[in-house]
Amino acid sequence: MISRPRQPTMDQVAAAAGVSRATVSRVMNNAASVAPAIREAVQRAVAETGYVPNVAARSLVTRRSNSVALVISEPDRPDDHSFLNRIFTDPYFGRVTAGATSALRPHDVHLVVVPTDVADHHQVVRYLRQGHVDGVLLISSNEHDPLPAQVHALGIPAVLSSRPPGPLPVSYVDVDQRRGAALAAAHLLSRGCRRLATINGPLDIPAGSERLDGFRAHLADPGIPAVTGNFTRAGGEAAAHALLDAHPAIDGLFVASDLMAEGALRAVQDRGRRVPQDVAVVGFDDSSAALECRPPLTTVRQPVEEMAAEMAALLLAHIDTPTRSPRSVIFQPTLVIRASA
């Protein structure tokens, strides 16, 4: 029988560092009461001995998993079967993951991505109730989504990616959606566009309704032509064709996401219209899709990575202090001018 080498123990780390076993334990659990010099000595001893902490045992002491869930909740749409595909292809979700991870990694906290729709909510709630994670970053795009209230009822720390529906006492981070759409409208007007239209997102999603409201409010014209897309390239292309069928003289177009704008540009050019000479196009997000457009897309930038990092920072604060009051953080959008408008 081949004997396996014994793993270094906490006692060996303590001996190497010249401290007690209890002090090593406090360092492993990130206790704030340890002096910097002692912490450094213990960390050096851990590296020298090759000691690997028993995560399961440590979690029994701290009652923490050192993991948080990024829950992406989407509404049921009978005509849309691309939910999981969008999660892995829409630049927005990748940017959220990157931003949140950048804030969590220095704290040795891991991110678990949990996509769900209404049919799977009970499984997500059960997963959260079982204590697999210490908190939740919740992307909930539908104003009627019951999941934010369900997560809040569990008593688990949570931060939302947009303003919560109704009087729900939970922290959230958002961008000033209406202001962003107003920036798009002002830019199109400054270019001399006078026959404006918009492709908005689904109106049961706050970002969809608020961007439409902000665009129309700046123009002081609630009758501006609008067609609803579904925040996908294909949806933007179909919406643009419908819009151009009904209003062929459009010379300025605001599209409520870069992915939809990419599809809309294809539709406009398929009609033989030049961009921006015949139709100026402005998107929303400033994602990688904006640079993939031809021509490159003028767009409203929302700082998604910074917003996700702020969500993660708020969540860590709530995990450390469960009685902390809810807080909202609203980021300001900016206009990024490129060749499409």
Side-chain angles (χ1 to χ4, degrees):
M1 179 181 295
I2 299 175
S3 60
R4 297 181 181 178
R6 295 187 63 183
Q7 295 295 324
T9 67
M10 189 179 290
D11 288 329
Q12 290 173 311
V13 174
V19 299
S20 69
R21 191 178 191 279
T23 297
V24 174
S25 177
R26 287 199 298 274
V27 172
M28 293 293 97
N29 292 317
N30 294 317
S33 59
V34 181
I38 295 177
R39 185 182 302 276
E40 183 179 345
V42 171
Q43 291 171 341
R44 187 166 54 248
V46 167
E48 291 172 353
T49 61
Y51 173 70
V52 177
N54 185 325
V55 176
R58 186 169 66 181
S59 67
L60 289 175
V61 176
T62 63
R63 296 189 178 181
R64 291 189 182 178
S65 66
N66 281 352
S67 298
V68 301
L70 173 62
V71 177
I72 304 170
S73 178
E74 282 282 298
D76 280 338
R77 300 191 188 283
D79 59 341
D80 182 5
H81 303 288
S82 60
F83 169 42
L84 288 177
N85 181 60
R86 287 204 311 281
I87 289 177
F88 295 106
T89 59
D90 189 329
Y92 173 78
F93 297 114
R95 294 173 69 190
V96 169
T97 301
T101 300
S102 70
L104 296 172
R105 184 183 293 122
H107 300 276
D108 197 25
V109 174
H110 304 284
L111 189 69
V112 180
V113 179
V114 183
T116 183
D117 55 19
V118 174
D120 292 331
H121 278 183
H122 66 286
Q123 295 180 351
V124 173
V125 171
R126 183 171 66 246
Y127 173 81
L128 298 177
R129 184 184 292 118
Q130 290 171 347
H132 295 291
V133 295
D134 301 322
V136 179
L137 300 172
L138 179 55
I139 300 177
S140 174
S141 59
N142 187 291
E143 62 183 9
H144 303 299
D145 187 353
L147 194 56
Q150 292 171 336
V151 171
H152 176 68
L154 292 176
I156 185 171
V159 177
L160 272 60
S161 64
S162 60
R163 190 187 311 274
L168 194 64
V170 61
S171 290
Y172 68 91
V173 175
D174 205 348
V175 69
D176 189 337
Q177 309 281 0
R178 293 173 63 92
R179 171 63 179 160
L183 290 175
H187 181 67
L188 290 170
L189 290 175
S190 72
R191 285 186 52 87
C193 299
R194 292 297 177 265
R195 296 179 296 277
L196 303 183
T198 182
I199 297 174
N200 55 272
L203 297 182
D204 58 356
I205 294 177
S209 60
E210 290 177 13
R211 291 173 194 179
L212 175 61
D213 291 344
F215 185 71
R216 284 177 164 171
H218 186 83
L219 300 174
D221 184 355
I224 287 291
V227 172
T228 299
N230 62 357
F231 286 141
T232 67
R233 290 182 185 89
E237 185 173 5
H241 277 300
L243 201 52
L244 291 167
D245 285 343
H247 306 277
I250 289 168
D251 64 358
L253 180 61
F254 168 53
V255 189
S257 81
D258 290 349
L259 276 182
M260 289 199 301
E262 190 174 358
L265 282 171
R266 187 179 302 134
V268 169
Q269 293 163 340
D270 284 348
R271 299 294 185 103
R273 308 287 297 277
R274 298 170 301 167
V275 178
Q277 295 91 334
D278 300 324
V279 182
V281 179
V282 177
F284 199 114
D285 285 330
D286 194 29
S287 67
S288 58
L291 296 175
E292 294 169 0
C293 290
R294 292 294 177 267
L297 185 67
T298 292
T299 185
V300 176
R301 182 177 189 273
Q302 57 171 337
V304 174
E305 291 85 355
E306 293 92 332
M307 293 164 64
E310 181 65 25
M311 287 177 64
L314 279 174
L315 183 60
L316 291 175
H318 282 298
I319 291 171
D320 287 338
T321 310
T323 57
R324 181 185 177 95
S325 298
R327 182 180 172 216
S328 62
V329 180
I330 307 299
F331 283 74
Q332 290 303 309
T334 54
L335 185 70
V336 179
I337 299 176
R338 299 191 180 96
S340 72

